[in-house]
Amino acid sequence: MTTRIRLHAWSAVGLIFLLAACGGSETPETAASSQPQALAAEVAAPAGANQAVLGTIEATIAGTAHTWYVVRGEISGEPYATALWYEPEPGELWVTIGGFDTPTPPLETFERGAAGQPASFGEYEGPLFNLMLDSDTNPQPFAVTFPAGNNASSLIYMARATTDDISGMYSVESGTLSVTRIERANGLIRAEGTFSGALENMGGGQPIPVTNGRFSVEGVPHLDQVSGSSLE
């Protein structure tokens, strides 16, 4: 994986967390060193009466089938979501989609960091998954073959939630991502697609296969609606 593509992958999963780590003043490209913590914010999901499920991610990882829930709700009274969209530069649209293996993770046990973002997984120790979709301002269905060149689309899997150990973290090494539907209307994103391939262990271990991957989300908000910070 090239340096630029690795940086894009971490920017994808860490978009919100990097804001927290940098006090809300940095762009995703300026904080690639936050690798282990990156997925924490992207998959921090709300629980309780105000929670809404935006969709799911499903895949078989090394022979085991998983379902992850993409959710939106509140953290200590502040809006938050595990999926969001953002325009890092004119003409480019990033959609990050992350999830837990339960629709009601123990968010009350999470610690809050700078800019109001989660800084730990609390009591949650399950697996996590994140997709990054790199489209354009007027999104249309598209497909990516990994390694994806200058396209920032990516797949990230964490076998066990942690913020200080990358041995159980994997990023896509080879494979395909097909975004069969992606639409933006009234400030929200709807997206569907499939994926498969091989995931590279970030700690240096052996790649593992991901098969039968699919995702479907709707009502994905803009970063500003759920992060408490702005990149603008």
Side-chain angles (χ1 to χ4, degrees):
M1 182 182 293
T2 67
T3 300
R4 184 173 187 273
I5 298 307
R6 188 181 296 276
L7 174 59
H8 275 313
W10 286 116
S11 295
V13 296
L15 191 58
I16 300 295
F17 187 87
L18 297 186
L19 284 175
C22 300
S25 62
E26 302 283 347
T27 63
E29 288 83 356
T30 62
S33 62
S34 300
Q35 294 177 354
Q37 295 91 339
L39 199 58
E42 190 55 40
V43 297
N50 294 324
Q51 177 178 305
V53 175
L54 302 182
T56 59
I57 304 167
E58 299 177 52
T60 299
I61 307 290
T64 300
H66 296 272
T67 298
W68 295 272
Y69 296 87
V70 184
V71 296
R72 179 175 182 173
E74 296 182 349
I75 297 177
S76 300
E78 297 295 328
Y80 201 81
T82 69
L84 56 87
W85 65 272
Y86 169 64
E87 296 177 351
E89 57 186 48
E92 188 173 23
L93 173 72
W94 285 3
V95 184
T96 69
I97 303 168
F100 285 109
D101 71 350
T102 170
T104 56
L107 189 64
E108 67 279 3
T109 68
F110 282 38
E111 297 178 1
R112 295 177 65 86
Q117 303 307 320
S120 81
F121 292 113
E123 295 177 1
Y124 181 76
E125 297 183 345
L128 315 169
F129 201 93
N130 179 277
L131 299 99
M132 169 69 170
L133 312 182
D134 181 359
S135 183
D136 56 32
T137 305
N138 297 306
Q140 299 292 328
F142 67 95
V144 175
T145 299
F146 298 106
N150 288 328
N151 188 285
S153 296
S154 65
L155 310 173
I156 300 287
Y157 168 66
M158 184 181 287
R160 177 181 177 275
T162 179
T163 61
D164 58 8
D165 180 9
I166 65 172
S167 64
M169 185 177 289
Y170 298 78
S171 65
V172 64
E173 177 183 48
S174 62
T176 59
L177 166 67
S178 177
V179 181
T180 57
R181 181 173 188 171
I182 181 167
E183 303 169 349
R184 180 169 61 176
N186 301 316
L188 301 173
I189 292 287
R190 179 175 183 174
E192 299 175 357
T194 61
F195 57 91
S196 63
L199 302 175
E200 176 186 18
N201 188 287
M202 303 301 288
Q206 293 297 312
I208 58 174
V210 53
T211 59
N212 303 317
R214 58 185 179 270
F215 64 94
S216 178
V217 293
E218 59 182 314
V220 175
H222 187 274
L223 168 67
D224 291 348
Q225 294 181 277
V226 292
S227 71
S229 298
S230 173
L231 292 181
E232 304 297 336

